[in-house]
Amino acid sequence: MKYIFEVRVIPPYTVAEYAAGWVEASRIIQQTPGALGTELHRKIGSDDTLLAIAHWQSKAHRDVKDDDRDATVKAILAKHHKTCEITLIGEFDEPEWVVRLDKDEQGDFGTMP
């Protein structure tokens, strides 16, 4: 599953500072059973907004993770909640089907429900 949220960094805090904290916390969180990686994407045309995606084996795995168990993670998340506006976009299951067409392909989209 994917846990997706938008982060708007509040100056004077910077995207680079947020990303450094994200990497540090993610290295610890990724040791949690079911964690499958994270991504940050900068919003086009916005110097202060990111799309954050955390990949998990299941919603159950994500729901039982405990960010309070590690003092470093707890401190980073507390700082981010003071220096950023964080908006949950949603939690998404892995798709039952994917419509994907590469640039050089001629479109067989398969069967969709």
Side-chain angles (χ1 to χ4, degrees), residues 14-16 19 39-52:
T14 68
V15 166
E39 303 174 43
L40 282 178
H41 301 266
R42 188 185 297 261
K43 184 175 181 178
I44 295 172
S46 178
D47 292 336
D48 66 355
T49 304
L50 300 164
L51 179 69

mmCIF file of all heavy atoms in Angstrom, residues 14-16 19 39-52:
data_model
loop_
_atom_site.group_PDB
_atom_site.id
_atom_site.type_symbol
_atom_site.label_atom_id
_atom_site.label_comp_id
_atom_site.label_asym_id
_atom_site.label_seq_id
_atom_site.Cartn_x
_atom_site.Cartn_y
_atom_site.Cartn_z
ATOM 1 N N THR A 14 13.699 24.861 5.288
ATOM 2 C CA THR A 14 13.863 24.647 3.851
ATOM 3 C C THR A 14 13.526 23.212 3.452
ATOM 4 O O THR A 14 13.523 22.310 4.299
ATOM 5 C CB THR A 14 15.313 24.937 3.417
ATOM 6 O OG1 THR A 14 16.183 23.933 3.992
ATOM 7 C CG2 THR A 14 15.763 26.335 3.824
ATOM 8 N N VAL A 15 13.283 23.028 2.168
ATOM 9 C CA VAL A 15 13.039 21.689 1.630
ATOM 10 C C VAL A 15 14.257 20.809 1.876
ATOM 11 O O VAL A 15 14.122 19.632 2.216
ATOM 12 C CB VAL A 15 12.687 21.768 0.126
ATOM 13 C CG1 VAL A 15 12.767 20.416 -0.532
ATOM 14 C CG2 VAL A 15 11.303 22.363 -0.050
ATOM 15 N N ALA A 16 15.450 21.358 1.741
ATOM 16 C CA ALA A 16 16.669 20.579 1.979
ATOM 17 C C ALA A 16 16.737 20.098 3.428
ATOM 18 O O ALA A 16 17.120 18.948 3.688
ATOM 19 C CB ALA A 16 17.903 21.409 1.637
ATOM 20 N N ALA A 19 14.156 17.312 3.768
ATOM 21 C CA ALA A 19 14.632 16.087 3.114
ATOM 22 C C ALA A 19 15.700 15.396 3.954
ATOM 23 O O ALA A 19 15.711 14.161 4.055
ATOM 24 C CB ALA A 19 15.153 16.403 1.717
ATOM 25 N N GLU A 39 9.626 7.856 -0.897
ATOM 26 C CA GLU A 39 9.981 8.759 -1.987
ATOM 27 C C GLU A 39 9.568 10.174 -1.619
ATOM 28 O O GLU A 39 8.554 10.370 -0.949
ATOM 29 C CB GLU A 39 9.212 8.422 -3.271
ATOM 30 C CG GLU A 39 9.369 7.043 -3.799
ATOM 31 C CD GLU A 39 8.438 6.807 -4.988
ATOM 32 O OE1 GLU A 39 8.313 7.695 -5.863
ATOM 33 O OE2 GLU A 39 7.821 5.733 -5.004
ATOM 34 N N LEU A 40 10.336 11.144 -2.101
ATOM 35 C CA LEU A 40 9.957 12.557 -2.036
ATOM 36 C C LEU A 40 10.020 13.118 -3.445
ATOM 37 O O LEU A 40 10.973 12.852 -4.174
ATOM 38 C CB LEU A 40 10.921 13.357 -1.156
ATOM 39 C CG LEU A 40 10.782 13.266 0.342
ATOM 40 C CD1 LEU A 40 11.865 14.109 1.019
ATOM 41 C CD2 LEU A 40 9.411 13.727 0.798
ATOM 42 N N HIS A 41 9.025 13.900 -3.819
ATOM 43 C CA HIS A 41 8.994 14.547 -5.133
ATOM 44 C C HIS A 41 8.708 16.027 -4.928
ATOM 45 O O HIS A 41 7.773 16.379 -4.204
ATOM 46 C CB HIS A 41 7.871 13.960 -6.007
ATOM 47 C CG HIS A 41 7.996 12.493 -6.242
ATOM 48 N ND1 HIS A 41 8.631 11.986 -7.349
ATOM 49 C CD2 HIS A 41 7.577 11.427 -5.498
ATOM 50 C CE1 HIS A 41 8.589 10.653 -7.291
ATOM 51 N NE2 HIS A 41 7.956 10.303 -6.182
ATOM 52 N N ARG A 42 9.504 16.891 -5.556
ATOM 53 C CA ARG A 42 9.249 18.326 -5.462
ATOM 54 C C ARG A 42 8.133 18.690 -6.441
ATOM 55 O O ARG A 42 8.108 18.222 -7.581
ATOM 56 C CB ARG A 42 10.499 19.119 -5.801
ATOM 57 C CG ARG A 42 10.332 20.617 -5.530
ATOM 58 C CD ARG A 42 11.543 21.415 -5.973
ATOM 59 N NE ARG A 42 12.734 21.057 -5.258
ATOM 60 C CZ ARG A 42 13.233 21.740 -4.232
ATOM 61 N NH1 ARG A 42 12.601 22.796 -3.784
ATOM 62 N NH2 ARG A 42 14.348 21.359 -3.664
ATOM 63 N N LYS A 43 7.190 19.513 -5.983
ATOM 64 C CA LYS A 43 6.092 19.965 -6.832
ATOM 65 C C LYS A 43 6.632 20.939 -7.877
ATOM 66 O O LYS A 43 7.358 21.879 -7.548
ATOM 67 C CB LYS A 43 5.011 20.651 -5.976
ATOM 68 C CG LYS A 43 3.792 21.053 -6.764
ATOM 69 C CD LYS A 43 2.729 21.619 -5.837
ATOM 70 C CE LYS A 43 1.487 21.992 -6.620
ATOM 71 N NZ LYS A 43 0.437 22.505 -5.732
ATOM 72 N N ILE A 44 6.277 20.718 -9.121
ATOM 73 C CA ILE A 44 6.712 21.596 -10.205
ATOM 74 C C ILE A 44 6.163 22.994 -9.966
ATOM 75 O O ILE A 44 4.986 23.174 -9.672
ATOM 76 C CB ILE A 44 6.243 21.052 -11.573
ATOM 77 C CG1 ILE A 44 6.935 19.715 -11.872
ATOM 78 C CG2 ILE A 44 6.516 22.060 -12.690
ATOM 79 C CD1 ILE A 44 6.411 19.002 -13.094
ATOM 80 N N GLY A 45 7.045 23.974 -10.056
ATOM 81 C CA GLY A 45 6.636 25.359 -9.898
ATOM 82 C C GLY A 45 6.507 25.807 -8.454
ATOM 83 O O GLY A 45 6.049 26.912 -8.188
ATOM 84 N N SER A 46 6.917 24.966 -7.516
ATOM 85 C CA SER A 46 6.802 25.315 -6.103
ATOM 86 C C SER A 46 8.100 24.958 -5.391
ATOM 87 O O SER A 46 8.499 23.792 -5.369
ATOM 88 C CB SER A 46 5.636 24.566 -5.467
ATOM 89 O OG SER A 46 5.558 24.871 -4.103
ATOM 90 N N ASP A 47 8.734 25.948 -4.806
ATOM 91 C CA ASP A 47 9.990 25.708 -4.100
ATOM 92 C C ASP A 47 9.794 25.161 -2.699
ATOM 93 O O ASP A 47 10.757 24.784 -2.041
ATOM 94 C CB ASP A 47 10.801 27.008 -4.006
ATOM 95 C CG ASP A 47 11.308 27.476 -5.355
ATOM 96 O OD1 ASP A 47 11.442 26.634 -6.271
ATOM 97 O OD2 ASP A 47 11.566 28.679 -5.487
ATOM 98 N N ASP A 48 8.549 25.138 -2.225
ATOM 99 C CA ASP A 48 8.333 24.764 -0.831
ATOM 100 C C ASP A 48 7.399 23.574 -0.636
ATOM 101 O O ASP A 48 7.024 23.263 0.488
ATOM 102 C CB ASP A 48 7.793 25.961 -0.048
ATOM 103 C CG ASP A 48 6.401 26.393 -0.512
ATOM 104 O OD1 ASP A 48 5.884 25.836 -1.502
ATOM 105 O OD2 ASP A 48 5.831 27.292 0.123
ATOM 106 N N THR A 49 7.020 22.873 -1.719
ATOM 107 C CA THR A 49 6.021 21.808 -1.596
ATOM 108 C C THR A 49 6.554 20.488 -2.147
ATOM 109 O O THR A 49 7.158 20.449 -3.218
ATOM 110 C CB THR A 49 4.724 22.206 -2.328
ATOM 111 O OG1 THR A 49 4.278 23.464 -1.805
ATOM 112 C CG2 THR A 49 3.637 21.174 -2.118
ATOM 113 N N LEU A 50 6.295 19.422 -1.392
ATOM 114 C CA LEU A 50 6.748 18.078 -1.757
ATOM 115 C C LEU A 50 5.587 17.100 -1.716
ATOM 116 O O LEU A 50 4.646 17.270 -0.932
ATOM 117 C CB LEU A 50 7.803 17.596 -0.758
ATOM 118 C CG LEU A 50 9.067 18.422 -0.630
ATOM 119 C CD1 LEU A 50 9.807 18.061 0.646
ATOM 120 C CD2 LEU A 50 9.942 18.221 -1.832
ATOM 121 N N LEU A 51 5.675 16.074 -2.532
ATOM 122 C CA LEU A 51 4.796 14.919 -2.439
ATOM 123 C C LEU A 51 5.621 13.834 -1.763
ATOM 124 O O LEU A 51 6.726 13.523 -2.208
ATOM 125 C CB LEU A 51 4.346 14.459 -3.824
ATOM 126 C CG LEU A 51 3.438 13.234 -3.858
ATOM 127 C CD1 LEU A 51 2.073 13.593 -3.271
ATOM 128 C CD2 LEU A 51 3.288 12.716 -5.269
ATOM 129 N N ALA A 52 5.105 13.286 -0.693
ATOM 130 C CA ALA A 52 5.806 12.250 0.056
ATOM 131 C C ALA A 52 5.015 10.946 -0.059
ATOM 132 O O ALA A 52 3.792 10.937 0.108
ATOM 133 C CB ALA A 52 5.942 12.660 1.521
#
